[in-house]
Amino acid sequence: MSSRTFRSRVVYLALGLAGAKYAHYKHGPETKDAKFSDFPDLEDHHNIMAKVLTKRMYDSYKRLMSPSKFTLDNCIQVGVDIKGSGLGRKGTGLVAGDLECYEVFGDLFDGVMSEVFKKQDHKKSLHSCKEVEYALDGRFVKEVTARCYRNLKEFPFTPALTRGQRRHVEQLIVPHLPTSGTYSPIAAIQPSLYTNLAQTGIVFTKPSSEQDRVSGLTRDWPDARGLYVANDRSLSAWVNGRHHLELTSYEKGPDLGKAVRRLATAATDLEASLPVKFQWTEKHGYAGHDLPELGSALSLEATVHLPKLCTDYGFLRKLTDLGLRPLTHPDEHLGTWKVASQPSFDTEVEHVKKFADAIQKLVDAEKELHGK
């Protein structure tokens, strides 16, 4: 047993015995038949949790709970149920029910995080993004999107939210969204509106991946979920989707700086007006249930026309080398690709600069091919 695990057990057992104030840090009941192990069968599993989790670690943590009553088995269930294919990038196979999961089950979460991120400390700089200037080449960059994910302090993350907590989160956020737009509960939105919004770059759908389903993100759908859209459709917000809040700034054309400035202003103004602040620690950045979305919790996207470059055998490798990931797009066969930034613990300013530089390198490579 590592010293970290031993300290966690001593601390949380002590808290559990300290009285009602800390009753949520308690051990679960003993297994009735101790002859049978609860350790999951992780053979042929291709996710990071399966690589990191040991039986000794499991036995040390299996009777602990986080404040939202999230157990070790709740955290790892997604990785137990979804083996992964062994092809491409490995999933984490792990979710957090609340911020304390990262400490209660510290050895496991730290081990998985070290596989996902090289750097694991975050310095805020979103306020500085209000002044960034990045205009990309409009002959190749057709649209850009800046998106951030946020979760409120004092509440569990989405997989562990109760119905009442989810409704409370919605009640807290909605009155503080910008007044130059409209908020609609999901149950009240007509399918035709989704189609219309998608044509202007705003795409919101019910979480449908197997990972999201197993993680519990769709429980009680569509209760206490809603969509905010600015009147000019340049800013939108998804409340209680995958996170408590997902803010998206969309810009038709190549002006990445404008999209980022709009997002930075909306996010900082919203937090300043909320009675409850966003979850953030230096170690985790903007914390949430999904480990790859820690750190800056910022995603940048660009739709780029690369008709020659994308036919190169090494195109996907080039994207990876530039710190980009490909997203599905209906015009791939015409040479138009949507690419996104990789999650990172960089400051927001660094994140934006690296993304802009990467897109410029793609455009420069395409230009060279046109010159041949």
Side-chain angles (χ1 to χ4, degrees):
M1 179 188 303
S2 71
S3 60
R4 170 69 175 275
T5 305
F6 178 77
R7 288 197 303 272
S8 295
R9 294 189 68 183
V10 171
V11 169
Y12 289 105
L13 178 57
L15 288 172
L17 296 174
K21 180 179 179 181
Y22 297 108
H24 44 251
Y25 292 111
K26 64 176 180 291
H27 278 54
E30 290 281 5
T31 304
K32 291 182 179 180
D33 193 337
K35 293 188 299 183
F36 294 93
S37 172
D38 284 326
F39 187 70
D41 179 5
L42 299 176
E43 186 176 355
D44 297 325
H45 280 61
H46 302 281
N47 57 61
I48 302 173
M49 177 277 295
K51 174 183 176 182
V52 174
L53 183 66
T54 65
K55 187 176 186 302
R56 177 176 292 184
M57 190 186 296
Y58 180 88
D59 289 340
S60 297
Y61 286 147
K62 68 180 182 180
R63 294 177 56 223
L64 295 178
M65 293 182 182
S66 73
S68 62
K69 299 183 180 180
F70 224 65
T71 66
L72 175 63
D73 282 308
N74 292 142
C75 293
I76 67 174
Q77 196 64 52
V78 63
V80 174
D81 289 357
I82 304 174
K83 292 185 176 182
S85 66
L87 300 175
R89 187 176 179 179
K90 285 185 178 180
T92 61
L94 188 67
V95 298
D98 49 39
L99 183 62
E100 289 79 3
C101 281
Y102 290 96
E103 297 301 324
V104 177
F105 312 112
D107 286 345
L108 175 59
F109 277 88
D110 285 351
V112 173
M113 281 180 64
S114 67
E115 294 278 336
V116 178
F117 296 105
K118 295 179 181 179
K119 174 184 176 183
Q120 294 181 38
D121 63 285
H122 179 247
K123 307 294 184 185
K124 294 181 183 180
S125 69
L126 189 61
H127 62 282
S128 299
C129 287
K130 294 180 181 181
E131 301 174 2
V132 297
E133 295 283 350
Y134 287 105
L136 304 173
D137 193 327
R139 293 172 295 173
F140 298 90
V141 180
K142 305 304 178 184
E143 59 185 13
V144 290
T145 300
R147 178 178 293 111
C148 67
Y149 314 105
R150 296 291 186 266
N151 294 283
L152 300 183
K153 286 184 177 180
E154 303 176 16
F155 290 89
F157 300 139
T158 310
L161 280 176
T162 65
R163 295 183 189 93
Q165 288 170 331
R166 191 184 306 114
R167 291 164 185 168
H168 193 182
V169 167
E170 182 185 37
Q171 184 184 64
L172 285 172
I173 291 176
V174 172
H176 298 277
L177 293 170
T179 56
S180 57
T182 303
Y183 178 80
S184 303
I186 294 300
I189 299 177
Q190 297 298 319
S192 58
L193 178 59
Y194 284 112
T195 303
N196 185 264
L197 291 174
Q199 293 172 351
T200 56
I202 301 175
V203 180
F204 288 91
T205 59
K206 177 180 179 179
S208 58
S209 71
E210 187 178 6
Q211 176 175 322
D212 289 343
R213 179 186 58 77
V214 175
S215 299
L217 303 192
T218 59
R219 284 181 295 109
D220 309 309
W221 194 272
D223 185 76
R225 278 96 168 181
L227 174 63
Y228 164 88
V229 181
N231 294 334
D232 63 1
R233 300 193 176 180
S234 62
L235 184 74
S236 55
W238 186 223
V239 178
N240 284 327
R242 298 189 70 256
H243 300 272
H244 297 167
L245 177 68
E246 180 179 318
L247 279 170
T248 301
S249 172
Y250 172 80
E251 187 67 25
K252 187 73 172 177
D255 198 340
L256 175 65
K258 188 174 182 179
V260 171
R261 293 194 300 272
R262 183 187 300 118
L263 179 73
T265 299
T268 54
D269 289 355
L270 180 60
E271 182 170 26
S273 67
L274 283 169
V276 179
K277 301 305 179 184
F278 296 138
Q279 289 271 19
W280 181 88
T281 71
E282 187 171 318
K283 178 178 178 179
H284 306 99
Y286 288 101
H289 72 278
D290 196 6
L291 276 67
E293 293 173 351
L294 297 177
S296 64
L298 178 65
S299 177
L300 304 174
E301 300 171 8
T303 300
V304 192
H305 190 54
L306 305 166
K308 293 186 179 292
L309 186 62
C310 72
T311 61
D312 187 279
Y313 179 77
F315 176 64
L316 294 180
R317 169 56 63 183
K318 187 174 185 66
L319 292 181
T320 300
D321 292 343
L322 289 172
L324 301 172
R325 53 194 170 94
L327 302 177
T328 57
H329 195 276
D331 292 330
E332 287 173 13
H333 65 287
L334 298 177
T336 300
W337 283 67
K338 179 173 283 190
V339 297
S341 59
Q342 294 281 11
S344 79
F345 270 77
D346 292 331
T347 69
E348 289 82 359
V349 170
E350 292 170 339
H351 191 116
V352 175
K353 184 180 186 306
K354 287 183 179 180
F355 180 74
D357 290 346
I359 297 299
Q360 187 58 52
K361 288 177 181 179
L362 286 180
V363 170
D364 289 344
E366 180 69 21
K367 289 178 180 178
E368 287 183 14
L369 292 174
H370 279 273
K372 291 182 179 180

